[in-house]
Amino acid sequence: MPSNKTQEKEVEKVSSKRSFHTDKSATYWLPKDEDEQFRLAGQHFAIKDLFEGNMHPNIKEALDSEPNMTILDVGCGSCTWIFDMASDYPQCDFHGCDIVDVANKEMIPNQFTFQLGNVAQRLPYKDSMFDFVYARLLALALSEDEWPRAIQEILRVTKPGGWIQLVDADVKNNNQRN
């Protein structure tokens, strides 16, 4: 069995191989490196397959009938969802926002704009700017205390009558009593 010092060195080696964001105000704890972007791309296609598409059927119907929507992906990460959507809806205007810019620069569609931002603080957009705001898997990215502000920001940037789709896991602490 390795000693504590050996274990510490092994942990240090493992953690030093990954690249993380440096935004001290953000609670997101997963890496931002190429391995993570590859994982996120695979995750995107697994979720798309599971739900049989990139969005709720009602939103798809709205996009199909009003194809010139302005769309925001909050916490866009590698932008795989946006790039996939942009190929299906080239007439839409896509925006991505995240605490790090890790989008594949070789694949950026013409109708895409990225901005650094943190949904738990203030998104860098005007009020009522987007027809459709999408956010996926933020449950582990935001603390419980950050959710009210994040929802408030998503509502603020969504146009009246616009669409919001939040896709997330039901994460529960098994140590909490109901």
Side-chain angles (χ1 to χ4, degrees):
M1 182 150 194
S3 69
N4 283 345
K5 287 190 178 202
T6 304
Q7 287 174 335
E8 286 175 20
K9 284 183 181 181
E10 287 173 9
V11 168
E12 195 174 293
K13 283 181 186 176
V14 170
S15 64
S16 67
K17 291 181 181 179
R18 304 302 303 262
S19 176
F20 294 85
H21 73 85
T22 57
D23 182 343
K24 297 206 186 308
S25 67
T27 56
Y28 188 75
W29 52 273
L30 290 171
K32 66 172 189 170
D33 54 24
E34 189 175 312
D35 288 344
E36 179 63 5
Q37 300 320 305
F38 184 74
R39 184 192 72 79
L40 289 171
Q43 175 181 278
H44 162 74
F45 290 106
I47 291 169
K48 180 181 178 182
D49 189 51
L50 176 68
F51 290 110
E52 299 177 351
N54 275 322
M55 70 209 103
H56 189 278
N58 291 348
I59 300 171
K60 181 178 181 349
E61 186 178 313
L63 267 170
D64 290 343
S65 65
E66 296 179 39
N68 296 316
M69 289 190 181
T70 303
I71 299 170
L72 172 64
D73 183 2
V74 175
C76 63
S78 62
C79 299
T80 307
W81 181 84
I82 292 173
F83 296 171
D84 196 19
M85 286 287 292
S87 69
D88 292 338
Y89 297 95
Q91 69 283 15
C92 289
D93 186 24
F94 290 92
H95 297 258
C97 187
D98 206 318
I99 59 172
V100 294
D101 182 1
V102 291
N104 184 336
K105 305 297 185 263
E106 295 171 13
M107 296 179 58
I108 295 177
N110 291 334
Q111 72 274 33
F112 171 70
T113 304
F114 176 84
Q115 288 197 41
L116 288 172
N118 186 338
V119 69
Q121 295 175 5
R122 182 169 175 87
L123 292 172
Y125 304 105
K126 297 176 188 171
D127 294 357
S128 304
M129 186 171 166
F130 298 100
D131 298 293
F132 175 28
V133 177
Y134 181 84
R136 179 169 70 191
L137 300 177
L138 295 180
L140 298 176
L142 300 174
S143 69
E144 188 175 340
D145 294 343
E146 290 174 316
W147 273 100
R149 177 63 183 188
I151 297 298
Q152 181 181 30
E153 277 301 288
I154 289 170
L155 289 169
R156 180 184 66 77
V157 300
T158 304
K159 290 179 182 177
W163 295 89
I164 296 171
Q165 182 171 340
L166 304 176
V167 178
D168 232 308
D170 184 8
V171 180
K172 293 181 181 177
N173 181 345
N174 289 331
N175 294 328
Q176 292 178 338
R177 297 182 190 263
N178 291 337

